[in-house]
Amino acid sequence: MSTLVLLVVLLLVVVVAMLAAGTAYIVRRDPSWGQPIAAAFGAVTVVVALVGVIVAR
């Protein structure tokens, strides 16, 4: 893997960790947000899986 690819992957890991921490904070402060946020993360997971399949071809 090239250095650029490794840097992009590292950046994505950091961003995802920050989003997860923010989401955990929001759900802890107001539990009624739990279900909509879970649905949004489910949709994002499906899109990421589709993009992964497309890129792998």
Side-chain angles (χ1 to χ4, degrees):
M1 294 178 106
S2 70
T3 304
L4 180 60
V5 172
L6 290 174
L7 287 172
V8 169
V9 169
L10 178 62
L11 177 65
L12 287 173
V13 167
V14 170
V15 168
V16 168
M18 289 174 60
L19 286 173
T23 302
Y25 175 76
I26 289 171
V27 171
R28 182 181 166 121
R29 297 275 296 179
D30 189 6
S32 66
W33 279 90
Q35 190 172 6
I37 290 175
F41 273 118
V44 169
T45 302
V46 169
V47 170
V48 168
L50 291 175
V51 169
V53 168
I54 291 169
V55 169
R57 288 182 170 233

